[in-house]
């Protein structure tokens, strides 16, 4: 009987690289596979290598030449996305389904060769540009993960389409906001549910929170995203555990939102989640379900924010950004919106007339500058 070939993982220091690497030879193909040990400490690297070798020898590894797409997908979903949110998992599920339907892929090794076919089918479809970009991005993430795990030799080139600079949707007017709130009883009948939704919508309107942020915002100081009352003014706090830097971050809160929140929620009730919109059956809702409820409110209020689409949670955020763009400078709005790039923030200033900006500037400097003859 032929002796079963074993995989042995070695630690190697490559020239010019700070961290040590781990490498092994595929006993079936004779090809080498490597990945970073993510440490420059030899003892830690050896432990990582031993751990990886143990995984490979226990059957968690299968050469790319023999790994089916279905096997890869099951492994990826189990190891990379199973512990993520429902929305995150659903996004990959939708992308994989489209990828499989358009390419009829059977083996993982064929993935780099059918990417062009996938891109072409998406371009010829009636899908929106943003949906096309989302599908390509999620497939790219999965295949890059396959490379990192030694299942594929190299990362396939996937070209993401450029999306237009203009924002999707549009800001809501004050009157439209009131109409959306008025439509709530047409969707949910229980009085407590109606009140929970009106509070949630008002919170979105005043805070500028993203939907995901609004649903995890908590009064508990050790929560991932919470209300911080330790300073002179109320602030948002992102806990250290929720940050890649492992450092807590404090962010400003607008005065109108802070005042409304403190007036609305009695001191003795400031615990757990800040917002808890209730569904028709009185159960907790997922982010996607909350989004569908808000769109239904918008539909009943007959508020269309783009072709065929009704008011969404993000339109509330756009409204917030547009209102405050007239009152604060870009750097300040960037913090209020929690943007990573000021370029994103600047989009909120595009629709503001030069005279509106000038008026704000003159008001700011009226008390410190000499009058200018016109």
């Amino acid at each position: 009987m032929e002796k079963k070939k074993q995989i042995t993982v070695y630690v190697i220091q490559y020239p010019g690289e700070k961290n040590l690497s781990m490498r092994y030879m595929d006993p079936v193909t004779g090809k080498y596979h490597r990945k970073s040990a993510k440490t420059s400490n030899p003892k830690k690297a050896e432990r990582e290598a031993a751990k990886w070798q143990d995984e490979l020898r226990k059957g968690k590894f299968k050469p790319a030449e023999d790994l089916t797409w279905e096997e890869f997908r099951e492994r990826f979903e189990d190891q990379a996305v199973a512990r993520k949110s429902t929305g995150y998992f659903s996004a990959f599920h939708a992308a994989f389904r489209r990828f499989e339907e358009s390419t009829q892929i059977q083996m993982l090794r064929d993935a780099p060769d059918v990417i062009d076919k996938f891109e072409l089918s998406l371009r010829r479809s009636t899908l929106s540009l943003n949906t096309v970009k989302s599908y390509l991005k999620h497939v790219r993430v999965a295949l890059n993960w396959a490379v990192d795990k030694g299942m594929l030799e190299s990362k396939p080139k996937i070209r993401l389409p450029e999306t237009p600079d203009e924002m999707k949707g549009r800001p809501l007017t004050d009157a439209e906001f009131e109409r959306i709130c008025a439509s709530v009883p047409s969707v949910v009948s229980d009085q407590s549910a109606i009140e929970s939704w009106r509070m949630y919508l008002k919170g979105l309107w005043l805070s500028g929170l993203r939907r995901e942020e609004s649903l995890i915002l908590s009064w508990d100081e050790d929560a991932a995203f919470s209300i911080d009352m330790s300073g002179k003014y109320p602030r948002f706090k992102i806990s250290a555990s929720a940050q890649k830097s492992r450092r807590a971050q404090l962010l400003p809160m607008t005065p109108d939102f802070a005042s409304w929140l403190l007036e609305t929620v009695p001191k003795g009730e400031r615990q757990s989640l800040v917002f808890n919109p209730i569904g028709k059956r009185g159960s907790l809702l997922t982010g996607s379900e909350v989004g569908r409820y808000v769109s239904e409110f918008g539909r009943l209020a007959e508020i269309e924010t783009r072709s065929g689409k009704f008011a969404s949670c993000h339109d509330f955020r756009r409204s917030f950004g547009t209102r405050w763009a007239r009152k604060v400078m870009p750097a300040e709005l960037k913090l209020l919106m929690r943007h990573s790039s000021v370029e994103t923030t600047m989009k909120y200033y595009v629709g503001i007339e030069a005279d509106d900006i000038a008026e704000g500037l003159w008001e700011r400097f009226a008390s410190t500058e000499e009058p200018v003859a016109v």
Side-chain angles (χ1 to χ4, degrees):
M1 182 182 294
E2 183 180 357
K3 185 177 179 180
K4 184 178 180 180
K5 298 178 181 179
Q6 291 281 11
I7 292 172
T8 303
V9 178
Y10 300 94
V11 174
I12 295 177
Q13 176 69 69
Y14 284 93
E17 295 185 7
K18 179 182 177 181
N19 287 335
L20 294 164
S21 293
M22 304 179 292
R23 189 178 79 163
Y24 71 89
M25 184 185 74
D26 183 335
V28 177
T29 65
K31 295 180 180 179
Y32 285 93
H33 302 268
R34 60 167 284 202
K35 69 176 180 177
S36 173
K38 297 182 180 179
T39 180
S40 58
N41 185 300
K43 290 186 177 180
K44 290 183 179 179
E46 289 291 349
R47 286 197 292 270
E48 287 298 313
K51 181 181 176 181
W52 193 24
Q53 178 178 282
D54 184 57
E55 290 178 350
L56 296 171
R57 289 186 176 183
K58 285 182 177 179
K60 294 185 179 180
F61 163 81
K62 190 174 183 179
E65 286 74 6
D66 303 323
L67 195 66
T68 68
W69 171 261
E70 185 177 357
E71 289 172 329
F72 160 71
R73 176 174 172 174
E74 289 179 358
R75 191 174 302 177
F76 174 77
E77 290 178 342
D78 179 59
Q79 297 179 24
V81 300
R83 295 178 180 84
K84 303 291 184 178
S85 68
T86 302
Y88 189 77
F89 185 89
S90 298
F92 277 101
H93 180 78
F96 286 154
R97 185 177 66 245
R98 190 84 187 193
F99 183 60
E100 291 158 6
E101 290 174 353
S102 60
T103 65
Q104 300 298 309
I105 187 169
Q106 297 296 319
M107 305 297 292
L108 174 62
R109 63 171 180 263
D110 297 327
D113 298 326
V114 299
I115 288 298
D116 288 342
K117 184 177 181 181
F118 182 46
E119 291 180 356
L120 181 61
S121 71
L122 291 176
R123 286 199 299 270
R124 290 177 174 176
S125 71
T126 58
L127 297 172
S128 71
L129 193 59
N130 283 289
T131 300
V132 169
K133 188 173 183 178
S134 175
Y135 284 161
L136 290 171
K137 186 184 296 184
H138 283 86
V139 170
R140 183 173 68 178
V141 167
L143 296 182
N144 287 350
W145 184 85
V147 174
D148 292 339
K149 295 297 182 181
M151 301 175 189
L152 281 178
E153 283 298 309
S154 59
K155 296 179 179 179
K157 294 181 179 180
I158 299 181
R159 299 174 293 277
L160 300 181
E162 294 184 2
T163 50
D165 288 336
E166 64 269 15
M167 295 182 293
K168 295 187 296 181
R170 63 169 176 80
L172 304 169
T173 65
D174 291 353
E176 288 175 331
F177 166 67
E178 295 297 336
R179 282 164 52 194
I180 289 174
C181 292
S183 71
V184 171
S186 299
V187 180
V188 291
S189 55
D190 182 77
Q191 189 59 37
S192 61
I194 292 173
E195 292 304 317
S196 74
W197 275 107
R198 285 181 171 165
M199 179 176 177
Y200 179 67
L201 294 174
K202 184 75 171 182
L204 285 183
W205 181 254
L206 294 177
S207 69
L209 290 170
R210 299 178 178 88
R211 185 182 71 196
E212 293 76 12
E213 294 171 339
S214 69
L215 295 176
I216 63 171
L217 183 64
S218 175
W219 290 103
D220 300 337
E221 61 179 22
D222 58 346
F225 191 55
S226 63
I227 302 290
D228 177 76
M229 301 291 291
S230 63
K232 184 177 181 181
Y233 304 108
R235 299 170 291 188
F236 292 114
K237 177 183 176 182
I238 304 178
S239 71
S241 61
Q243 297 272 68
K244 288 183 179 179
S245 64
R246 294 302 172 188
R247 292 182 180 179
Q249 185 179 15
L250 293 171
L251 296 166
M253 183 186 298
T254 58
D256 57 346
F257 175 64
S259 299
W260 168 80
L261 193 60
L262 298 182
E263 290 171 2
T264 304
V265 184
K267 200 167 185 178
E269 297 178 14
R270 296 172 192 171
Q271 55 187 354
S272 191
L273 295 176
V274 175
F275 302 110
N276 184 24
I278 302 173
K280 295 176 181 178
R281 299 179 181 178
S283 58
L284 290 174
L285 302 173
T286 65
S288 297
E289 288 171 334
V290 168
R292 286 194 289 272
Y293 268 90
V294 173
S295 291
E296 180 64 8
F297 300 150
R299 185 188 69 80
L300 292 174
E302 299 182 345
I303 298 172
E304 191 171 313
T305 55
R306 55 188 168 119
S307 181
K309 300 291 183 180
F310 297 97
S312 67
C313 292
H314 208 70
D315 291 323
F316 278 71
R317 180 169 161 80
R318 292 187 187 94
S319 306
F320 171 89
T322 302
R323 288 198 309 275
W324 283 93
R326 298 178 185 276
K327 303 175 184 179
V328 299
M329 300 300 287
E332 296 169 322
L333 185 62
K334 178 177 179 290
L335 285 175
L336 291 177
M337 299 291 290
R338 296 167 303 286
H339 284 151
S340 59
S341 168
V342 74
E343 284 78 11
T344 303
T345 307
M346 288 304 297
K347 293 179 182 179
Y348 289 90
Y349 291 87
V350 173
I352 302 176
E353 295 293 337
D355 286 344
D356 291 336
I357 296 178
E359 182 179 355
L361 294 174
W362 282 84
E363 288 176 356
R364 277 178 178 249
F365 292 97
S367 60
T368 58
E369 296 291 318
E370 292 293 327
V372 178
V374 178

